[in-house]
Amino acid sequence: MGTTTRSGTASAGLEAQPTFRYLFTPKLVTVLREGYGAKQLQADAIAGLTVAIVALPLSMAIAIASGVSPDRGLYTAIVGGFLVSLLGGSRFQIGGPAGAFIVLVASTVARHGIDGLILATMMSGVFLLAVGYLRLGTYIKFIPYPVTVGFTAGIAVIIFASQLSELFGLTLQGKEPGELLPKLQALAAAWGTFNPAAITVALLTIAAIVGLKRWRPSWPGMLVGVALASVAVTLFALPVETIGTRFGGIPRTLPFPSLPAFDFALMQAVLPDAIAFTLLGAIESLLSAVVADGMTGRRHRSNCELVAQGFANIGSALFGGICVTGTIARTATNVRSGAIGPVSGMLHALFLLAFILVAAPLASYIPLAALAGVLAVVAWNMVEKTAFAALIRSSWGDALVLLVTFGLVIFRDLTEGIVVGFALGSLIFIHRMSKLVAVEVADRADSADGDRVAYDASEASDPDTVVYRISGAFFFGSAATVASVLDRIADQRRNFVLDCSNVQFLDSSAANVIEGAVRKAHKAGVHFFISGAAPQVRRMLFAHGVRPPHVRYKTDVDHALKQIAEERHLAPEN
């Protein structure tokens, strides 16, 4: 029993203070150390092939929706996906282009061109390396749940809106606006160019994906849907645009890696975009890793994962790709397909590379309306409908954070939505916590059976003694409330006992409030006692000058009352 306890303590200590080597050891190394043989390789190969089949149409669709050619989406999935699995802190994470980035990438391309996008992607990779090595990934988990649900739903709406022109085969006069309302106005003005063949192809693709998910869930619905649409367009010579007619197909090889043009003015111009890529990439990849943990019972290394995302974005930029992040849908597919470890993600990238080398000409026949149908399904699946409804019903605070984030993402900016949602959620949390702090007439001390005995001033040997207790987290949010109470009572008795035994946390603002009360009491000739203060609370109070002789510390209320009684008996009578 003793051995178990010591071992558990040691393990807990190791977990509480992990070494640098442990934090940044890729999960691939961990899996190989556990023993990796032909059976595990077979399972990872099947999972990798399954994920590659899903990622093939999706990578091209996301790239096209982002305002770049489809081959750049494939380069991103191949290079970025391989590096995420090779270096990452999750066993099951699949990296590649993500729907969440469509809005940001498209706006960056519109403002700064392809060169600006590639430079911003590389800068984002460097920032992610810094975030990971500085161990800031731990703090991503503090983003409130309503914010993540709100911005994910907002992104889904924008993705769907971006595909309306392809879904309906509309021909716009001029460039399609990026903002939602101007976009809808432009689409409405172009409604007369509606193409029945395009909407038929899109509906065929959506029906195939949804139908196969219901009746044949093990089949690759997206790939089958796109393949059926491609065959239909070719056989019936339907008048819809394809990858071949718009982009001329995709190359049959990976490009030679090259550095982007490091122009200082351009770096300054794309800096906000690089920061937005970093913020969203960190959130998206760690959320995806958390989903994988929930499905498997494993635990990822968040900072190691961010470092891998950093290298993956740098690698993607070198090959002309776009932003890389962990992808929730493909990661979940990887888990459900029986993956053992990161080898499946590396193989998924190699399978995509094989497609480019062998079957690239077939991509020319893929209709853009079919890829729009794929993204329409992706957008629908992105919205956490049950969670959205539950948050609306749960409380006014959660509903407000959710709707503000959702609205800002749709009508303003993704980064602005996250920042404002986080700030609003923090303010609501502070408001709620401030209500949990109480200053009240204290109990005396624990009785033998563990119950609290209510303090009665008449039982004290000195009627000029008052005992108050502070309960809860005493911090800046509640400092003003507690200060108003202490100001009223600190100089009305000769002896004042402040019981801090129920104070779990005390910050500098709270310590400053107590210091002011002690100073006021000292001037009025009041004896000030603090009882039950935990070591960390006492250290904070000492740092702010709350120390003898102006205040005396006692272990509990009874010891303080005893001290007061002794001093009263020893005091000379007038």
Side-chain angles (χ1 to χ4, degrees), residues 17 21 34-35 40 42-43 135 164 316 370 496 501 534 552:
Q17 296 181 340
R21 181 178 179 183
E34 292 173 352
Q40 289 80 5
Q42 181 181 5
R135 307 186 188 186
L164 289 175
S316 177
F496 181 79
S501 57
R552 283 177 278 182

Side-chain angles (χ1 to χ4, degrees), residues 33 195 290 313 329 392 409 445 514 524 542 574:
R33 284 174 178 170
N195 184 350
V290 168
N313 276 275
I392 290 291
V409 167
I514 294 179
F542 266 60
N574 294 332

Side-chain angles (χ1 to χ4, degrees), residues 185-478:
Q185 292 173 352
L187 293 175
W191 186 251
T193 63
F194 171 86
N195 184 350
I199 187 61
T200 300
V201 169
L203 290 176
L204 172 66
T205 306
I206 294 172
I209 295 172
V210 174
L212 288 175
K213 183 178 181 180
R214 180 173 180 180
W215 289 296
R216 291 289 186 272
S218 61
W219 289 22
M222 289 184 180
L223 185 62
V224 171
V226 170
L228 289 176
S230 302
V231 170
V233 168
T234 304
L235 287 179
F236 299 104
L238 297 178
V240 296
E241 276 199 288
T242 64
I243 288 179
T245 59
R246 182 176 294 184
F247 300 102
I250 61 174
R252 298 189 63 172
T253 60
L254 279 177
F256 192 78
S258 61
L259 289 171
F262 286 97
D263 179 78
F264 184 71
L266 184 58
M267 290 177 69
Q268 283 185 309
V270 301
L271 179 60
D273 302 286
I275 294 173
F277 292 165
T278 303
L279 178 61
L280 182 58
I283 295 171
E284 188 79 4
S285 62
L286 294 187
L287 282 177
S288 177
V290 168
V291 169
D293 289 351
M295 295 177 68
T296 62
R298 296 287 187 174
R299 186 177 178 184
H300 73 281
R301 297 173 185 140
S302 57
N303 293 300
C304 181
E305 184 62 30
L306 292 182
V307 168
Q309 298 290 336
F311 282 117
N313 276 275
I314 293 172
S316 177
L318 289 175
F319 284 87
I322 60 177
C323 302
V324 181
T325 188
T327 55
I328 295 176
R330 275 159 275 175
T331 298
T333 301
N334 189 39
V335 173
R336 286 195 294 266
S337 301
I340 302 298
V343 174
S344 64
M346 298 164 65
L347 290 175
H348 126 272
L350 295 179
F351 285 130
L352 288 174
L353 177 60
F355 170 79
I356 287 183
L357 298 176
V358 176
L362 295 177
S364 299
Y365 298 99
I366 297 176
L368 299 182
L371 295 180
V374 169
L375 287 180
V377 174
V378 169
W380 174 258
N381 291 334
M382 281 180 69
V383 181
E384 300 177 63
K385 296 167 277 292
T386 303
F388 200 102
L391 287 169
I392 290 291
R393 295 191 302 264
S394 61
S395 69
W396 69 267
D398 289 339
L400 180 63
V401 173
L402 172 71
L403 294 176
V404 167
T405 305
F406 180 67
L408 287 175
V409 167
I410 292 177
F411 297 108
R412 291 284 298 175
D413 177 73
L414 179 63
T415 307
E416 186 175 331
I418 294 175
V419 171
V420 174
F422 178 78
L424 184 59
S426 300
L427 289 174
I428 291 174
F429 171 76
I430 291 170
H431 173 73
R432 288 171 175 168
M433 290 297 295
S434 68
K435 299 296 183 184
L436 299 179
V437 178
V439 183
E440 56 192 353
V441 175
D443 301 336
R444 288 186 60 185
D446 292 331
S447 63
D449 58 3
D451 295 330
R452 304 297 297 185
V453 179
Y455 171 74
D456 185 352
S458 63
E459 295 180 6
S461 56
D462 187 346
D464 286 332
T465 298
V466 63
V467 182
Y468 270 77
R469 165 176 290 129
I470 301 178
S471 301
F474 187 12
F475 68 115
F476 65 90
S478 55

